[in-house]
Amino acid sequence: MALEDAKQQVDTAFTRENRRGLAFENAFGGATSFLRRSFTKDLRGVDLAITGVPFDQAVTHRPGTRFGPRAIREASTLQPYDPPFGWGFDPLSDFAITDHGDLAFDYAKTADFPAALHGHIARILKAGPGTITLGGDHYITLPILQAYAEKFGPMRVIQFDAHSDLWADDDLTRIDHGTMMYKAVKQGFVDPAHSVQIGIRTECDDYLGFNVIDAPSLHRQTPESVAARVREIVGDGPCYLTFDIDALDPAFAPGTGTPVWGGLASWQASAILRALAGIDLKGGDVVEVSPPYDPTGATAIMGAHVAMELICLYCWTRRR
């Protein structure tokens, strides 16, 4: 019983003896790892590593995404009591999922950050687990994709976003959240013909071969039909899913650096993600949660639920 266990359990992020299983400590107390998973740098036997990247450099308008990982972890404390609703299996009990903690980097040496993040993700992938990353501004996806492409080849990317992040920028030394996908394509980390952007509602001159399901067309379809199109585009190859929280309408996620009206409702995002079950997801991230602009915590709650859906997608095809 959860209530009985809560009398005894606390700080399971550190005291948990088994890396699998639900957690029943009081939501309002204890160490806030993501989903109360074990905090550990030991990747032996781990199926999936959750890691945070508190990086906040190139936001267009409102800073604060460096606090995203912390807020998402706190919001996630409401989730580990039960299996995720509607999936029909329990990834927290069936898989060894751990919180690998945050990336360490020197905030005063911004130019060193890309290599630090690339090395961080590459080390995890070399050990075997996949990664779900909590951001951080959207630039972080570029070094992550580099590490994934080195292991799996050019990745098929599913990008939920209000912005394409494909604006031309051939200066690879620039660290910019609005041009990171352009650089990922130009450097061969992404296979655009088998990639798709969902929820776009800002202008872009050249999508560099990406397939696009913009927000107006999405709203005229069912989530299931959108997911069917995404699955058709991505096919059976290894894919990576990046979810910029501003894919959601500001009514659902106001705490982001670049809010744009006309976006997805939370129920649409949930239904689309759920209908993608079976894709060969190798990893993913949720980015641009900026808690200072949402005192209600709703944006962080959305981020925590997106991360849980990514866990389910990752584990779905690996069920025994």
Side-chain angles (χ1 to χ4, degrees):
M1 287 290 294
L3 291 177
E4 291 300 314
D5 292 338
K7 294 178 183 179
Q8 308 295 330
Q9 293 186 6
V10 70
D11 296 327
T12 53
F14 299 110
T15 62
R16 173 186 293 275
E17 295 181 358
N18 192 328
R19 289 177 174 175
R20 304 187 185 202
L22 300 172
F24 300 108
E25 66 183 279
N26 291 322
F28 51 81
T32 51
S33 62
F34 186 72
L35 299 173
R36 307 290 194 181
R37 300 301 91 193
S38 297
F39 264 130
T40 179
K41 301 296 186 183
D42 184 355
L43 292 166
R44 289 174 296 180
V46 173
D47 297 307
L48 182 62
I50 312 300
T51 189
V53 182
F55 180 73
D56 185 5
Q57 155 68 14
V59 290
T60 304
H61 180 40
R62 304 188 303 191
T65 57
R66 66 187 61 184
F67 299 110
R70 180 178 297 177
I72 292 170
R73 284 188 174 102
E74 182 176 355
S76 78
T77 59
L78 290 170
Q79 296 172 260
Y81 301 99
D82 301 292
F85 179 78
W87 273 94
F89 80 113
D90 179 8
L92 300 186
S93 296
D94 296 344
F95 293 84
I97 301 170
T98 61
D99 192 324
H100 196 65
D102 285 351
L103 168 71
F105 62 95
D106 187 342
Y107 70 89
K109 293 185 177 180
T110 305
D112 294 346
F113 171 78
L117 177 53
H118 165 259
H120 177 73
I121 298 297
R123 283 190 294 273
I124 297 173
L125 295 180
K126 183 178 180 179
T131 64
I132 302 297
T133 303
L134 314 176
D137 80 42
H138 211 160
Y139 176 81
I140 71 170
T141 304
L142 177 57
I144 295 173
L145 284 173
Q146 179 183 1
Y148 269 85
E150 287 170 355
K151 180 169 184 176
F152 299 107
M155 298 300 294
R156 304 173 183 214
V157 172
I158 301 170
Q159 178 179 349
F160 285 78
D161 211 322
H163 313 87
S164 69
D165 300 327
L166 286 167
W167 290 283
D169 180 5
D170 293 310
D171 182 352
L172 298 181
T173 65
R174 293 190 69 253
I175 297 175
D176 187 340
H177 74 305
T179 67
M180 55 85 191
M181 197 56 73
Y182 175 92
K183 293 171 181 174
V185 173
K186 292 294 185 177
Q187 294 180 87
F189 305 155
V190 174
D191 174 4
H194 289 97
S195 298
V196 57
Q197 298 184 325
I198 304 166
I200 302 299
R201 50 196 189 276
T202 52
E203 293 294 330
C204 178
D205 293 333
D206 185 354
Y207 287 96
L208 299 183
F210 261 86
N211 299 274
V212 177
I213 303 173
D214 62 31
S217 64
L218 182 149
H219 292 316
R220 294 191 293 269
Q221 303 177 58
T222 66
E224 292 73 21
S225 65
V226 171
R229 176 58 181 146
V230 173
R231 294 166 66 92
E232 179 183 333
I233 292 167
V234 172
D236 297 328
C239 67
Y240 185 90
L241 196 156
T242 177
F243 195 108
D244 188 327
I245 208 68
D246 69 26
L248 300 175
D249 190 88
F252 297 89
T256 183
T258 48
V260 184
W261 76 335
L264 281 71
S266 59
W267 67 266
Q268 289 174 304
S270 173
I272 294 169
L273 287 168
R274 189 67 53 90
L276 293 176
I279 60 173
D280 186 15
L281 188 72
K282 300 298 187 183
D285 61 55
V286 53
V287 297
E288 306 250 345
V289 172
S290 188
Y293 299 95
D294 181 8
T296 71
T299 309
I301 291 170
M302 299 297 173
H305 279 275
V306 168
M308 175 59 104
E309 296 298 292
L310 294 181
I311 288 173
C312 292
L313 286 171
Y314 181 87
C315 293
W316 179 261
T317 56
R318 295 167 174 81
R319 293 173 301 160
R320 297 177 179 85

